[in-house]
Amino acid sequence: MELTELLNSCTLCPRGCKVNRAGGERGYCGAGKDIVIARVSLHQWEEPCISFKNGSGTVFFSNCCLKCCFCQNYEISARGKGFTVTVSELADIFLKLQSRGADNINLVTPTPYTLHIIKALDKVRGELKIPVVYNCGGYESTETLEMLRSYVDIFLPDLKYYSSDMSCVYSRAENYFEKASAAIKKMAELTGKPLFDENGKMLKGVIVRHLVLPNGRHDTARLIEWLSQNFEKDEILVSLMSQFVPVYKAFEHKALSRRTSTFEYNYAADLLEKSGFDGYMQKRSSADTDFIPQFHSEKHFDFNVKNN
């Protein structure tokens, strides 16, 4: 089936808008028929096994099927800032990042453009030798993930909420946990257990990220419990994040109008340590707006620049 046919009635994410993106309509996410990206760079602020030595070759895609009120990347996820590239240009970006020493290709918020990405990866099949990372918010369709079989090596999903009340208020997705939990199980099926090279660079597997929210530690506890009940300890990695900073519309919610406290983060970290999962604990100093990347509205490629 051609790309345009699949976009005639888009159901790539759990929203299932069924809008005719090929005909010029835009879905809930804000994406239309063209690929829109906002940043290409070598990124060193991912988990150590992803950023590794030279940096992760990140491509930040604009528009998002979640509408998180606290999103640090709201300029691109909610407001659609970015510039248009073709499938051929995207394929060329992948190869250029590889030639600059990127340790992987990191597709950030890629869901609305899954079909375009598959086309681009088809163009570089045989030439692209580094892992492909699917870096997403966790709100995914298992049918769309199945399309990525043999295309994606590493999944890097968020697992944001257990509570449907929280997901409804903060991300306008009442069914978030239902969809994200099924998606993460599917991701683990697609990649198998985490695999690393002799130097510790990740080659395949799943890293589940969870951002500890202010006033959200009990929800975090339920998520860690769910992971423990549904995955073997060597089946996935877990990354506990502390980078929450109130931005965008977070101040509209009293519970989100401050940083996560040290007590809240340590409470979650203790639970994760007791769970037995391997993974990562983010430094408390990461809760700073200085770590938010710069995004571009006109074509701009930072192939040789790290974290600018």
Side-chain angles (χ1 to χ4, degrees):
M1 185 178 292
E2 291 298 319
L3 175 65
T4 52
E5 292 181 66
L6 291 167
L7 292 180
N8 282 342
S9 180
C10 186
T11 56
L12 285 174
C13 84
R15 303 278 181 190
C17 295
K18 297 185 179 179
V19 300
N20 184 1
R21 288 173 56 189
E25 295 179 357
R26 293 183 180 274
Y28 181 91
C29 63
K33 62 183 176 64
D34 298 318
I35 308 167
V36 182
I37 65 175
R39 181 175 176 81
V40 175
S41 66
L42 294 175
H43 194 63
Q44 291 188 309
W45 296 335
E46 307 287 31
E47 286 74 6
C49 64
I50 301 293
S51 291
F52 204 57
K53 294 181 179 180
N54 296 323
S56 183
T58 49
V59 182
F60 284 84
F61 292 86
S62 303
N63 301 300
C64 180
C65 55
L66 287 172
K67 298 299 177 189
C68 301
C69 64
F70 54 85
C71 181
Q72 293 186 357
N73 297 345
Y74 67 91
E75 282 188 299
I76 65 173
S77 63
R79 296 179 177 171
K81 181 177 182 177
F83 52 88
T84 301
V85 295
T86 66
V87 167
S88 293
E89 286 175 319
L90 184 61
D92 189 50
I93 286 169
F94 295 161
L95 293 180
K96 284 184 177 177
L97 284 169
Q98 178 175 254
S99 72
R100 299 307 194 273
D103 286 300
N104 46 62
I105 299 298
N106 189 343
L107 309 169
V108 184
T109 56
T111 310
Y113 307 101
T114 301
L115 302 172
H116 304 80
I117 289 166
I118 288 172
K119 292 282 188 179
L121 289 172
D122 279 338
K123 286 182 175 291
V124 297
R125 191 175 288 274
E127 296 179 78
L128 193 66
K129 307 296 185 182
I130 54 179
V132 174
V133 181
Y134 192 87
N135 184 342
C136 66
Y139 193 54
E140 303 292 324
S141 159
T142 54
E143 291 79 12
T144 298
L145 292 174
E146 178 60 37
M147 293 168 58
L148 293 167
R149 187 183 292 273
S150 81
Y151 288 97
V152 169
D153 304 287
I154 299 166
F155 285 98
L156 194 57
D158 291 333
L159 184 57
K160 296 177 183 288
Y161 323 96
Y162 188 95
S163 163
S164 60
D165 289 338
M166 290 176 67
S167 64
C168 183
V169 172
Y170 296 157
S171 297
R172 302 183 192 175
E174 185 176 6
N175 62 346
Y176 176 86
F177 179 73
E178 172 194 345
K179 298 300 181 180
S181 57
I184 291 170
K185 288 180 178 180
K186 182 66 174 180
M187 293 172 187
E189 174 208 323
L190 290 172
T191 66
K193 295 180 179 180
L195 178 67
F196 302 84
D197 72 8
E198 65 277 9
N199 298 310
K201 181 171 74 173
M202 194 170 193
L203 301 177
K204 62 180 293 188
V206 177
I207 303 178
V208 177
R209 285 174 164 174
H210 175 67
L211 175 64
V212 183
L213 294 174
N215 297 292
R217 62 191 175 95
H218 296 300
D219 196 66
T220 294
R222 297 179 77 179
L223 289 174
I224 293 173
E225 181 182 12
W226 179 82
L227 289 171
S228 296
Q229 292 173 347
N230 286 273
F231 294 96
E232 298 296 328
K233 299 305 179 283
D234 62 347
E235 196 174 356
I236 60 170
L237 299 176
V238 181
S239 180
L240 195 68
M241 306 177 76
S242 64
Q243 68 187 42
F244 179 84
V245 179
V247 295
Y248 189 40
K249 296 182 178 181
F251 290 102
E252 296 178 5
H253 305 275
K254 184 178 180 180
L256 298 180
S257 60
R258 62 169 174 82
R259 286 173 167 81
T260 303
S261 70
T262 298
F263 167 77
E264 289 167 325
Y265 185 75
N266 287 345
Y267 175 89
D270 287 344
L271 290 177
L272 182 59
E273 186 174 1
K274 290 174 182 176
S275 75
F277 286 108
D278 286 332
Y280 303 93
M281 304 283 188
Q282 195 174 43
K283 292 180 180 179
R284 298 286 291 132
S285 58
S286 63
D288 194 312
T289 55
D290 287 346
F291 290 101
I292 299 175
Q294 179 183 358
F295 300 114
H296 306 282
S297 55
E298 297 184 2
K299 283 190 177 180
H300 184 95
F301 305 113
D302 296 323
F303 290 118
N304 298 306
V305 178
K306 297 181 180 181
N307 303 330
N308 279 330

